[in-house]
Amino acid sequence: MPSRLGSIHVATTKRFYKDRLYQTHLLRRSYREGPQVKHETLGNISHLPADLIDLIKRSLAGEKFVSAAEAFTIERSLPHGHVEAVLGTMAKLGIDRVIFSKRCRQRDLVIAMMVERIIHQCSKLATTRLWHHTTLAEELSVVDANEDELYQALDWLLARQPQIEKKLAQLHLGEGGRVLYDVSSSYYEGRTCPLALYGHDRDGKTGLPIIVYGVLTDPSGRPVAVDVYAGNTGDPTTVPDQVEKLRQRFGLSRIVLVGDRGLLTQTQIDTLKQHPGLGWISALKSLAIRNLVDSGCLQLSLFDQQNLAEIRSPDFPDERLVACFNPLLAAERGRKRQELLAATEKELDKIAKEVARRTRKPIGQADIALKVGKVLHRFKMAKHFTLTIEDGRFQWARDNASIQREAHLDGLYVIRTSEPQQRLSAADAVRHYKSLAQVERAFRCLKGVDLRVRPIRHRTEDHVRAHIFLCLLAYYVEWHMRQALAPILFGDEELDQDRQRRDPVAPAEPSVSVKRKKAVRVTKDGLAVHSFDTLLKILGTRCRNLCKVKAASSDSSFFQLTEPTPLQSRAFQLLDL
């Protein structure tokens, strides 16, 4: 009698027909009849999904299956995507090797503080708390670090600042190139740091001391170096330090320094002239422009048919002057002046009425002058008013001649440069001066929601310097990330190219692509457009999960990453990670 016992399995056959592969999956039972092995087809399962066919094969082979919930449990889930993106960018840039050539505890701590500064800005103590709630501490093996170690790492970083800046300069600055320089300040909370002094406040925090710092960048706005100064330091007095740094530390004998009119004053330009290899691009102040008009060197009729004209003046020998006129800028300055005049008049009128009411005990001349001085200082309109101040008497009037004289120059500015025509055209001189907006963007990122260099609370001068340098290095990484992620951010991807070819004087126009992006807020791929801050938060939703096997005989665990969303995948693709 034939034996009908046997094993059930899935048999797969393949054949090609007209260059196309056809597969057939048959459910079969194999059995033996005497010396022969025979097969009985029980059914055709080719119509089932491939993963289900594979599951049937493995089950018939004796493999046992349990549900995911029965197999393992997720013990911990930590945000990982943003850490992965920032660390991956750092590795691509080689910034870790720029900081120090070999891995060490101090370098790991500095890298960790840079990453935390980008993904979540906080104090050093909070840093040691927060990086345990992402994968950052585990990735860099700094789980056991405390705030004292972070301050020691800051000391180590400050000692290495000259070498790090030199390496960045070798990467991004070259002989005959341009370097952008600008100065800003941030307020200080505390009383212990000797750098914190009262000076020109740029943050609107009246009554708080400030700390001044100057940033050098390459022509694209990529940061290279930073210097920190006491709060009462004048902006122009920081320029000699930059000359020293460029020539001595960076070894650049031929470079063009681009700075605004408040930095590169005549005194500082005279200093630059002592170094024949150093050129400059800056602008004239309003008084110098007025003198050019009064002397006839600059005639406003030049702008009847054009918005840019190159002129010469004996007051500026060996320099090229490029005069520009922007009608929209003229209209904006006129509007702003009228608003400031109206606001000043409103406050002066209040003071005049108060003085007139005080007949029994008249207000003294000194007290009136103090009140008036505060108003004029707030609105910066003193030059446009004539004042009469006596004991118990105050009168004011507009100086219309002064207003007209200033309005005559609205929309007019003059670029000055040492560069000859064969090296720099007039249009490019204007473009290069306007590229200072790249440094201003760096200050916005440093002081705004991205890196939050302020408020500064460190107690010692060295820690303040190290903190600001750390923020600069973090911005270096963020700058590159912004460049790579531009297609899914609100920024204009074509801005750099447009700057090179558009009219240097006319108001900048956003590209067609960025207009569309901001209108529909969706990329061409159908992905939502984000700011850098919100994109980092979304990347952070990609988690690394610690999974533990539930089997009684097993004590094993493993890590598993959540699958990236389409937006996360696109971000990692743009970062080339």
Side-chain angles (χ1 to χ4, degrees):
M1 177 180 293
S3 171
R4 306 298 293 179
L5 299 177
S7 62
I8 300 176
H9 64 280
V10 176
T12 300
T13 60
K14 301 178 180 179
R15 65 188 181 92
F16 285 91
Y17 179 70
K18 294 183 178 181
D19 297 328
R20 186 174 178 182
L21 175 65
Y22 292 88
Q23 293 190 33
T24 303
H25 304 280
L26 301 176
L27 188 63
R28 285 181 171 174
R29 183 168 64 88
S30 298
Y31 60 93
R32 181 182 295 277
E33 285 189 356
Q36 296 182 339
V37 176
K38 295 188 176 182
H39 305 284
E40 177 184 5
T41 299
L42 303 178
N44 189 336
I45 60 173
S46 302
H47 63 285
L48 296 177
D51 55 345
L52 182 55
I53 294 173
D54 178 67
L55 191 63
I56 293 173
K57 283 183 179 181
R58 293 162 57 193
S59 178
L60 292 175
E63 189 173 344
K64 297 184 180 296
F65 299 97
V66 295
S67 66
E70 295 173 339
F72 64 89
T73 181
I74 298 177
E75 291 196 332
R76 189 187 65 189
S77 183
L78 290 177
H80 175 68
H82 48 3
V83 175
E84 181 182 11
V86 179
L87 283 177
T89 302
M90 286 181 167
K92 281 194 61 183
L93 295 174
I95 189 65
D96 51 349
R97 295 185 297 277
V98 170
I99 293 172
F100 197 61
S101 57
K102 296 180 181 180
R103 183 173 183 179
C104 63
R105 175 71 168 183
Q106 290 88 347
R107 192 184 80 171
D108 286 344
L109 290 170
V110 169
I111 293 293
M113 285 189 284
M114 289 169 60
V115 177
E116 189 66 42
R117 177 62 51 178
I118 293 173
I119 64 177
H120 189 278
Q121 310 77 32
C122 57
S123 68
K124 303 302 178 286
L125 175 61
T127 295
T128 62
R129 304 295 190 263
L130 287 175
W131 64 22
H132 295 286
H133 297 278
T134 68
T135 58
L136 176 57
E138 294 177 352
E139 287 290 300
L140 293 170
S141 302
V142 294
V143 176
D144 58 336
N146 56 37
E147 62 272 20
D148 291 334
E149 268 198 280
L150 296 195
Y151 282 111
Q152 292 169 9
L154 283 180
D155 294 334
W156 177 86
L157 176 66
L158 184 63
R160 292 200 51 77
Q161 181 175 351
Q163 297 96 308
I164 295 171
E165 291 181 341
K166 185 175 181 179
K167 290 180 181 179
L168 292 176
Q170 291 171 345
L171 288 172
H172 305 299
L173 301 181
E175 289 287 351
R178 288 177 291 119
V179 61
L180 311 181
Y181 179 65
D182 205 355
V183 173
S184 188
S185 64
S186 292
Y187 63 92
Y188 178 83
E189 292 187 349
R191 298 184 299 274
T192 59
C193 180
L195 291 173
L197 298 172
Y198 292 97
H200 175 44
D201 172 43
R202 294 172 172 87
D203 293 337
K205 292 286 186 177
T206 305
L208 288 178
I210 63 170
I211 292 173
V212 173
Y213 46 94
V215 174
L216 278 175
T217 78
D218 72 355
S220 299
R222 187 187 286 108
V224 173
V226 64
D227 280 304
V228 181
Y229 301 94
N232 61 352
T233 304
D235 294 357
T237 61
T238 66
V239 174
D241 289 344
Q242 311 313 311
V243 175
E244 168 73 13
K245 180 178 290 188
L246 291 169
R247 287 178 56 81
Q248 302 299 325
R249 282 175 43 193
F250 298 166
L252 297 169
S253 59
R254 171 67 192 148
I255 200 79
V256 178
L257 181 63
V258 185
D260 68 23
R261 69 196 77 190
L263 276 173
L264 296 186
T265 60
Q266 187 60 52
T267 301
Q268 303 308 324
I269 287 178
D270 291 340
T271 302
L272 293 175
K273 287 180 179 179
Q274 299 173 13
H275 307 282
L278 291 185
W280 69 87
I281 300 174
S282 188
L284 295 181
K285 294 186 176 182
S286 57
L287 180 59
I289 297 175
R290 165 60 57 192
N291 292 336
L292 288 176
V293 173
D294 293 342
S295 66
C297 295
L298 175 55
Q299 300 178 8
L300 300 183
S301 59
L302 289 171
F303 305 109
D304 291 343
Q305 302 295 329
Q306 58 187 353
N307 58 12
L308 180 149
E310 189 164 343
I311 62 174
R312 293 284 182 178
S313 170
D315 295 334
F316 302 95
D318 304 322
E319 289 189 44
R320 292 169 58 210
L321 302 178
V322 183
C324 308
F325 178 72
N326 185 334
L328 292 182
L329 178 61
E332 174 62 19
R333 286 184 176 174
R335 180 196 63 79
K336 186 174 181 179
R337 183 187 302 107
Q338 291 303 319
E339 289 183 354
L340 291 173
L341 287 170
T344 305
E345 288 178 335
K346 183 178 179 180
E347 296 301 318
L348 292 179
D349 192 49
K350 289 181 180 178
I351 297 174
K353 290 179 179 178
E354 181 184 1
V355 172
R357 285 197 307 268
R358 296 278 294 272
T359 55
R360 290 189 178 181
K361 187 178 180 181
I363 303 178
Q365 182 182 28
D367 292 334
I368 298 173
L370 184 61
K371 293 175 181 289
V372 172
K374 289 181 179 180
V375 172
L376 297 179
H377 176 72
R378 189 194 319 167
F379 298 110
K380 306 295 189 292
M381 289 284 109
K383 56 188 172 182
H384 296 322
F385 287 91
T386 58
L387 307 173
T388 301
I389 302 177
E390 300 173 356
D391 289 338
R393 181 169 176 261
F394 170 56
Q395 291 181 332
W396 58 268
R398 281 195 184 192
D399 186 345
N400 291 316
S402 172
I403 295 171
Q404 289 298 323
R405 189 163 53 251
E406 184 180 82
H408 198 52
L409 302 182
D410 282 350
L412 187 65
Y413 56 94
V414 179
I415 307 301
R416 64 188 302 191
T417 179
S418 62
E419 295 302 285
Q421 177 71 35
Q422 59 267 28
R423 281 206 298 258
L424 185 69
S425 68
D428 284 340
V430 180
R431 291 189 179 100
H432 293 345
Y433 181 76
K434 287 188 172 182
S435 66
L436 284 171
Q438 303 282 6
V439 194
E440 294 171 0
R441 176 183 176 182
F443 287 136
R444 286 196 299 272
C445 290
L446 285 169
K447 299 165 74 170
V449 298
D450 293 339
L451 299 173
R452 292 184 184 172
V453 70
R454 62 186 183 188
I456 301 172
R457 299 189 177 95
H458 296 281
R459 299 175 61 85
T460 68
E461 179 177 334
D462 283 350
H463 286 164
V464 168
R465 294 183 186 277
H467 166 72
I468 293 177
F469 183 52
L470 179 80
C471 290
L472 184 88
L473 293 176
Y475 176 66
Y476 178 86
V477 178
E478 180 181 319
W479 186 94
H480 286 88
M481 293 184 70
R482 284 178 176 273
Q483 297 293 112
L485 295 170
I488 53 178
L489 299 178
F490 278 108
D492 193 342
E493 304 164 51
E494 303 170 31
L495 184 59
D496 291 337
Q497 295 79 6
D498 286 347
R499 283 192 176 115
Q500 303 304 318
R501 58 176 180 257
R502 70 190 180 197
D503 186 323
V505 180
E509 287 290 335
S511 66
V512 175
S513 61
V514 79
K515 285 182 179 178
R516 177 197 171 277
K517 190 191 294 185
K518 291 183 178 180
V520 300
R521 300 175 186 174
V522 174
T523 68
K524 294 179 180 178
D525 303 328
L527 301 173
V529 181
H530 285 271
S531 67
F532 184 77
D533 182 56
T534 59
L535 181 60
L536 276 185
K537 286 181 170 57
I538 289 174
L539 291 178
T541 62
R542 174 171 157 86
C543 295
R544 185 163 71 190
N545 305 302
L546 175 61
C547 305
K548 182 175 177 58
V549 178
K550 277 189 173 181
S553 60
S554 174
D555 192 29
S556 61
S557 59
F558 59 93
F559 288 106
Q560 186 176 41
L561 288 175
T562 54
E563 288 296 314
T565 65
L567 179 62
Q568 291 170 341
S569 296
R570 178 61 174 152
F572 289 125
Q573 178 189 24
L574 291 171
L575 292 170
D576 194 22
L577 300 179

